[in-house]
Amino acid sequence: MRKEPVTSSFFAFLRTHREVVAGHYVSVGHVVSEAPLRGIPPVKPFRALALGLFLLAAATVPAKVNFSDLDLSTDNRLLFRAHAEGSGAITQNALFISRLTDLTLQQITAFPEKMNLIDRGRILQIENSFGTYRIPIAGGLPRNVKGSPAFTEGAPVLGGRVEALCASGDGKWLLYVEPLTPAYGNLVLIDTATGGRTLITGKVERPGALFPACWSPDSRVFVYSRGGRLYYHTIGASANRPVDEQYRLIGEGSINSVAWSGTGDFFYIRGSTVYQVRGAELFARSVYADFLEMGQVAGKIPFEFDYNFDAFTMAPDSRSLLLMKGERNIFYFPLGLDDYTTEMTASLPYIMLPRAASNLTVLWSPQGLITVLASIPADAAGSLIAYSLSLGRPVPGASLSFRILDAPPASSGLLSPDGSKAVFWGPTGITLYDYVNWKVLQVLSPRPAYGCIWLGNEELIIADSARIERLRVSNQAPAFRPPGPDDIQVSRSPICLSQVQNFGFEEFGERIFARTADTWYATNGTSPWVEITDPSVRPTSQVSGRYRVFLERQSTGPYENIPMIRNAATTGTVPLLSKVTYADAPAAGESWGGGLRELSVCFDLYDDAAGLSTVLDVLRKFGIRATFFLNGEFIRRHPAAVKDIAESSHETASMFFAPIDLSDARYQIQGDFIARGLARNEDEYFKATSREMGSIWHAPYYAISSEIIAAAAEAGYITVGRDVDPMDWVTRDLTKTASVFTQPSASDMIDRIIDQKRPGSVIPIRLGLLPGGRSDYLYNRLSVLLDALVRSGYSIVPLSTLIEHAK
């Protein structure tokens, strides 16, 4: 494969060819002249400034938090609502109360963005934009977890994704990646009883789709990944004095390479070998690491495991596994075999998922009934696709195979411990299923839902946009027939409120009232919320005998406004909250100053579609429209993938008819050559999508010259370049043959991008597998990159928007 041309000297090129590229070339948002080329159709010229200097419009910083509905009681308690809406996060609000006499802050609702059950099923842990909180499942108000970041403890709400945590099953410990850079952090162990912190290791990759660590079921051991290697850590006498990391090495891999069994063992795949590692061995290895092997061979798979793209799920009895190979292929493999024959491999169950599928969920009952769920885009047919495989009841004489089921109206699912029922949830509500017979038993909630947890075979916790509730589901059906909707009885008790529509103080009392889903609840600020009727709500007030409160707009930082407190007995006004700024301070020359901060993230597709479905899913979750550069070779090879891009409402741009290096001396760059290549690419795109391609392009591998720009401009195209080169095109082979190149990791690339970006930047990301090989890929860490850009106060827009705003 031809290596990527070195085109980092765009600035020198622009300085040399100012008169040639006028109005038709955008590199790094740079345009260098307003004088049009002779003989080239006029294109509205850009101003003779870098894009970074034009951003003087009204501020539109993304991922901000605003406060509203201030209500001050006669005893100087302030009720207010905080609303968080940021890229990568679920829009949510929370209700807070503060005693103005000492400025204490308490959260009294808990949005269930992420939920975990800890402390042997007695405590519910919730993570959301405002922090990490715990609530007894018997009911209660949220309380902070000691040592973890929380808004009520002074941590700023920055919008964007939730800072992920990983709790041990007993609830005594939390793992947290304390940020060091946009892509790296320190892995810290938090004692939730004391808030004490222990540094486990440094320079761990900040969480993307998965947290880089996982706990054993007995909470005595956790495994973590760092730099493409796996390590373990045991909880015990050495909790505060970790054994040197070199003695805790498991081997190469990521968290995708590990799965815990219910017995406390874990399974680890390296190469094509599946190892079983017993928990007790890890304690011995801390002392005898030089003498003990890591586990025993449990089985083989017939190909190499790639921890960047592959994952696996163990059977409840640990005797087989489902392997997710890449983005589309799912295989069932029994363990205990030394090798697979061709005939055996061909007869094993297999699924090829639709190209756009993402967010795989596997339900595997103790009886051997497997269901695989995959999300597909909202504009395709339905929201889920479901496949079923029965290992426990094979048809005599027939080979095992998956069959397609009617998909549930949801986006996530969870199986009851005995495998008899399943609950599914998503934007359309929560539905209870008879799992064995695959039929609806009852709709448990019609509202958008965010999580469900089984407490047992007859009890579960459900969390929707209004409430978090504990449900008891009893089956009244006779033993001789399966249950139906009329046989299911459901009793409910509230645990906490998720969000509220209205709230206020009691008119003649101290209670707080709140309404959600047309039901009123009350609390005194200490006891759990209880349902009430006919509340006597006091009229809203911003004045008491001692204080006056109001909202003050903020021009910088992550808060749109801040509650302010004026004490009538003294002079001066103080903010209820600290006036914080974004965690990532603006780079040199990037003054907040009320300016618009925009940049573009673009994706180059040369000849391989690997990573595309993941990228489309991440962009959808962040609510971002991006620009995709396509060439004719890719369009012909992957027409369905191109159609997925077009139907996802992203912007498409040209990367010529074929992925050839136009800087090669063998090519004569003439107007007809460029025009024909661009026109043929348009035709291929229209043939695949029935849509027109945009008039923005860049040459393959970002080759650039005055002749290329002039020829493209004559064809009506604007040539764009990159000012941030992540170096994601550098392969292992290239580093071996050219010593000037080094292969940065995906996390190193993220830090490089965040360091070099500025308003108006164009950030390219190459999709697909590179023939020369890489240890990891930037697009697999896209959520971390986008989150870092959002937290820096940037809007991510398509290239056409960036160009339009530069005019």
Side-chain angles (χ1 to χ4, degrees), residues 307-308 730-737 743 772-776:
Y307 59 80
N308 286 301
V730 177
T731 65
R732 289 194 195 97
D733 289 352
L734 188 56
T735 60
K736 294 174 183 176
T737 57
Q743 186 186 106
R774 279 195 57 85
S775 56
D776 59 6

Side-chain angles (χ1 to χ4, degrees), residues 209-465:
L210 296 173
F211 194 86
C214 55
W215 285 91
S216 64
D218 61 8
S219 303
R220 299 178 68 197
V221 179
F222 62 85
V223 173
Y224 66 89
S225 63
R226 184 173 72 86
R229 291 188 166 194
L230 285 164
Y231 303 86
Y232 67 90
H233 179 85
T234 58
I235 299 296
S238 63
N240 295 319
R241 292 177 287 105
V243 176
D244 192 281
E245 196 173 59
Q246 65 177 318
Y247 300 113
R248 297 185 281 111
L249 175 66
I250 296 172
E252 292 185 354
S254 72
I255 289 301
N256 281 335
S257 308
V258 173
W260 287 95
S261 71
T263 61
D265 302 342
F266 73 83
F267 290 83
Y268 162 54
I269 300 183
R270 183 176 62 193
S272 61
T273 304
V274 183
Y275 296 92
Q276 183 177 7
V277 183
R278 302 193 182 281
E281 294 177 12
L282 299 180
F283 290 91
R285 277 183 58 84
S286 298
V287 180
Y288 304 108
D290 293 339
F291 307 100
L292 296 179
E293 292 293 329
M294 178 54 69
Q296 60 186 15
V297 175
K300 294 284 186 80
I301 56 177
F303 34 65
E304 294 289 305
F305 184 84
D306 184 343
Y307 59 80
N308 286 301
F309 299 95
D310 304 341
F312 70 102
T313 297
M314 294 300 303
D317 62 6
S318 300
R319 297 171 62 183
S320 57
L321 59 82
L322 272 187
L323 179 69
M324 282 66 81
K325 184 69 179 171
E327 298 177 310
R328 302 185 60 189
N329 304 294
I330 300 178
F331 300 87
Y332 168 80
F333 293 117
L335 297 179
L337 301 176
D338 292 332
D339 200 1
Y340 289 92
T341 64
T342 302
E343 293 78 9
M344 182 183 298
T345 303
S347 66
L348 290 172
Y350 164 76
I351 304 171
M352 175 174 279
L353 295 171
R355 181 178 299 278
S358 60
N359 299 324
L360 263 61
T361 299
V362 176
L363 308 180
W364 199 328
S365 75
Q367 295 77 28
L369 184 58
I370 305 172
T371 302
V372 177
L373 303 170
S375 299
I376 51 180
D379 53 5
S383 59
L384 277 184
I385 188 166
Y387 303 85
S388 178
L389 173 67
S390 177
L391 301 173
R393 298 183 301 175
V395 177
S399 61
L400 290 171
S401 62
F402 285 92
R403 63 188 179 94
I404 296 181
L405 300 174
D406 292 332
S411 56
S412 301
L414 192 64
L415 198 59
S416 64
D418 65 359
S420 64
K421 295 181 285 295
V423 61
F424 298 96
W425 67 91
T428 59
I430 305 173
T431 306
L432 183 67
Y433 265 63
D434 175 349
Y435 181 65
V436 177
N437 298 290
W438 198 252
K439 66 177 185 178
V440 174
L441 292 177
Q442 195 166 116
V443 175
L444 301 179
S445 171
R447 293 177 293 275
Y450 304 100
C452 295
I453 298 175
W454 287 97
L455 297 172
N457 296 320
E458 307 296 332
E459 278 193 296
L460 71 159
I461 294 171
I462 68 169
D464 61 25
S465 57

Side-chain angles (χ1 to χ4, degrees), residues 45 82 104 183 188 209 275 379 422 432 444 500 524 598 713 763:
T104 56
V188 175
Y275 296 92
D379 53 5
L432 183 67
L444 301 179
V500 299
N524 60 8
E598 290 182 337
I763 301 170

Side-chain angles (χ1 to χ4, degrees), residues 685-700:
Y685 181 75
F686 186 83
K687 187 188 301 182
T689 66
S690 300
R691 304 184 187 204
E692 297 292 338
M693 179 174 275
S695 59
I696 300 171
W697 91 301
H698 73 72

